[in-house]
């Protein structure tokens, strides 16, 4: 029935899903922040394991269902475009935090480790793109490597938190990750149930979005790469935007950065899920060069972000860090290149 949608209906449903995703994402921030304190995970780990994964569910559903429906370009452009736009959203959070550059105030070894993990995962996606087109049961070997490296990376991040071998210098603008006494008094069971319910809503919204996106791409003539990278990727990334801004306003600065970087690392698994769902062979070899460009751009934006976290500039151009300016420029250049290629 969803395949028979008119363009107007598809656009209206698309907008409705975007609203649900935005509202749910806002609510998730407070729950995850409280769970970080209640469980003792800390903001950086909770941002990766809980906030990053939950806010990525809608995007995962878009990519996996698109690949299953034999739309590999939409699946991959949504996955890779989402990583780029979520990194861009971190600059919005930086603008929101007026006291100092966000990357300076949220200095964290765990966030740097996650950034390094993200670069490794994105590099593997490029390896799959240019490696021989070998598959086992229609799945490329790089897909298994993505899963292994992601899990191993999470283990390293956890170990670095428990036994850090490097610590950022503390300044008057640094916001430490300190447990909230009010959160410690909340019921852990209720927090987990609320988290699961909101995460499920995000998943259903993503499933509906994929069907709307297919209709929009076909009936407008924009193409799956443009709709995936610049429409579904932006909408499914809205939770990262609202949660990062909400986290900044709550004073959970480490959580704001961890939610973005951790979500990006988890989003590389969209590629693995899409490859498994796609029955036409290796999905890495079924995408155009215009979509592959977003892998390189995401790597460049992540590297700029990591340099910013290491340099820790208090204030830069337009009262944000130089890394935010660089990330904005990279994203706009990528969007222009995609539109021209289409």
């Amino acid at each position: 029935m969803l395949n028979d949608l008119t363009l107007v209906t598809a656009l209206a449903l698309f907008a409705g899903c975007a609203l649900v995703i935005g509202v749910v994402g806002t609510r998730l921030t407070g729950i995850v922040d409280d769970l970080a304190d209640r469980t003792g995970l800390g903001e950086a780990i909770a941002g990766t394991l809980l906030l990053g994964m939950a806010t990525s569910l809608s995007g995962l559903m878009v990519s996996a269902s698109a690949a299953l429906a034999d739309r590999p370009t939409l699946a991959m452009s949504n996955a890779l475009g989402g990583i780029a736009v979520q990194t861009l959203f971190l600059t919005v959070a930086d603008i929101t935090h007026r006291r100092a550059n966000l990357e300076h105030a949220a200095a964290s070894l765990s966030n740097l480790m996650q950034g390094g993990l993200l670069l490794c995962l994105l590099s593997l996606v490029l390896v799959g793109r240019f490696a021989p087109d070998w598959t086992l049961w229609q799945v490329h070997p790089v897909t298994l490597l993505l899963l292994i490296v992601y899990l191993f990376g999470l283990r390293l991040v956890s170990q670095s938190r428990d036994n850090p071998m490097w610590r950022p210098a503390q300044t008057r603008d640094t916001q430490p990750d300190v447990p909230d006494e009010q959160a410690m008094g909340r019921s852990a069971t209720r927090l987990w149930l609320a988290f699961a319910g909101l995460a499920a809503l995000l998943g259903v919204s993503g499933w509906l979005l994929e069907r709307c996106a297919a209709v929009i791409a076909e009936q407008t003539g924009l193409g799956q790469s443009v709709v995936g990278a610049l429409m579904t990727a932006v909408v499914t990334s809205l939770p990262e935007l609202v949660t990062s801004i909400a986290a900044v306003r709550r004073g959970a600065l480490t959580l704001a950065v961890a939610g973005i970087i951790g979500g990006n690392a988890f989003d590389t698994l969209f590629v693995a899920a899409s490859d498994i769902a796609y029955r036409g062979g290796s999905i890495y070899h079924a995408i155009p060069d215009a979509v592959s460009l977003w892998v390189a751009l995401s790597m460049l934006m992540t590297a700029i972000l990591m340099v910013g976290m290491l340099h820790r500039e208090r204030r830069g151009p337009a009262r944000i860090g130089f890394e935010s300016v660089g990330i904005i420029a990279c994203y706009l250049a990528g969007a222009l290149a995609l539109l021209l290629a289409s």
Side-chain angles (χ1 to χ4, degrees):
M1 183 176 68
L2 289 174
N3 293 329
D4 300 326
L5 290 175
T6 65
L7 178 60
V8 173
T9 304
L11 288 170
L13 190 55
F14 192 93
C17 290
L19 179 62
V20 170
I21 290 171
V23 172
V24 170
T26 304
R27 177 70 179 130
L28 266 175
T29 307
I31 293 174
V32 173
D33 191 19
D34 289 342
L35 279 172
D37 297 333
R38 188 71 175 78
T39 61
L41 285 173
E43 290 178 3
I45 301 299
T48 302
L49 295 177
L50 302 180
L51 192 60
M53 290 183 182
T55 55
S56 297
L57 280 177
S58 56
L60 176 61
M61 290 299 296
V62 169
S63 289
S65 55
L68 192 60
D70 196 26
R71 290 189 278 265
T73 300
L74 176 59
M76 294 291 277
S77 59
N78 173 74
L80 302 172
I83 294 173
V85 77
Q86 284 164 198
T87 309
L88 175 70
F89 285 163
L90 196 56
T91 67
V92 180
D94 189 10
I95 294 171
T96 304
H97 186 63
R98 303 306 297 163
R99 181 178 172 182
N101 178 13
L102 180 61
E103 284 73 29
H104 172 91
S108 165
L109 173 59
S110 295
N111 284 339
L112 284 170
M113 292 283 291
Q114 291 175 57
L117 171 61
L118 176 57
L119 286 178
C120 292
L121 293 169
L122 288 170
S123 299
L124 279 176
V125 174
L126 278 184
V127 169
R129 177 72 173 84
F130 295 104
D133 189 2
W134 297 333
T135 61
L136 179 63
W137 296 308
Q138 306 299 315
V139 177
H140 197 277
V142 165
T143 293
L144 179 61
L145 280 176
L146 280 172
L147 297 171
I148 292 173
V149 171
Y150 178 75
L151 293 174
F152 180 69
L154 286 186
R155 181 170 177 267
L156 290 181
V157 172
S158 179
Q159 288 178 342
S160 69
R161 176 179 178 271
D162 296 333
N163 298 289
M165 300 298 291
W166 176 90
R167 296 181 187 275
Q170 300 297 303
T171 71
R172 65 176 183 274
D173 296 314
T174 303
Q175 183 71 41
D177 179 7
V178 179
D180 182 10
E181 293 298 329
Q182 185 177 356
M184 299 301 290
R186 298 190 64 182
S187 168
T189 302
R190 289 185 178 181
L191 288 172
W192 283 116
L193 288 175
F195 175 81
L198 293 175
L201 273 177
L202 290 177
V204 173
S205 298
W207 179 79
L208 289 172
L209 268 179
E210 187 276 326
R211 278 135 182 87
C212 297
V215 173
I216 294 169
E218 181 180 351
Q219 296 194 22
T220 62
L222 288 173
Q224 294 180 16
S225 58
V226 173
V227 172
L230 302 182
M231 290 184 65
T232 63
V234 172
V235 170
T236 56
S237 299
L238 283 177
E240 279 79 4
L241 173 62
V242 295
T243 53
S244 60
I245 293 176
V248 167
R249 290 178 174 173
R250 287 172 63 97
L253 304 185
T254 303
L255 180 65
V257 178
I260 294 289
I261 304 177
N264 283 348
F266 183 75
D267 284 6
T268 59
L269 299 187
F270 292 8
V271 179
S274 299
D275 189 37
I276 294 171
Y278 183 57
R279 296 293 82 200
S282 166
I283 200 169
Y284 303 93
H285 297 82
I287 57 174
D289 290 340
V291 177
S292 299
L293 172 65
W294 286 98
V295 185
L297 277 174
S298 297
M299 293 177 69
L300 177 59
M301 293 165 75
T302 302
I304 292 173
L305 175 61
M306 292 182 67
V307 171
M309 288 193 291
L310 286 169
H311 181 64
R312 301 185 65 196
E313 184 179 48
R314 277 194 173 88
R315 295 192 184 279
R319 300 192 68 184
I320 56 177
F322 73 89
E323 67 277 5
S324 292
V325 176
I327 288 170
I328 292 171
C330 287
Y331 185 84
L332 292 177
L336 179 61
L338 182 59
L339 290 171
L340 292 176
S342 299

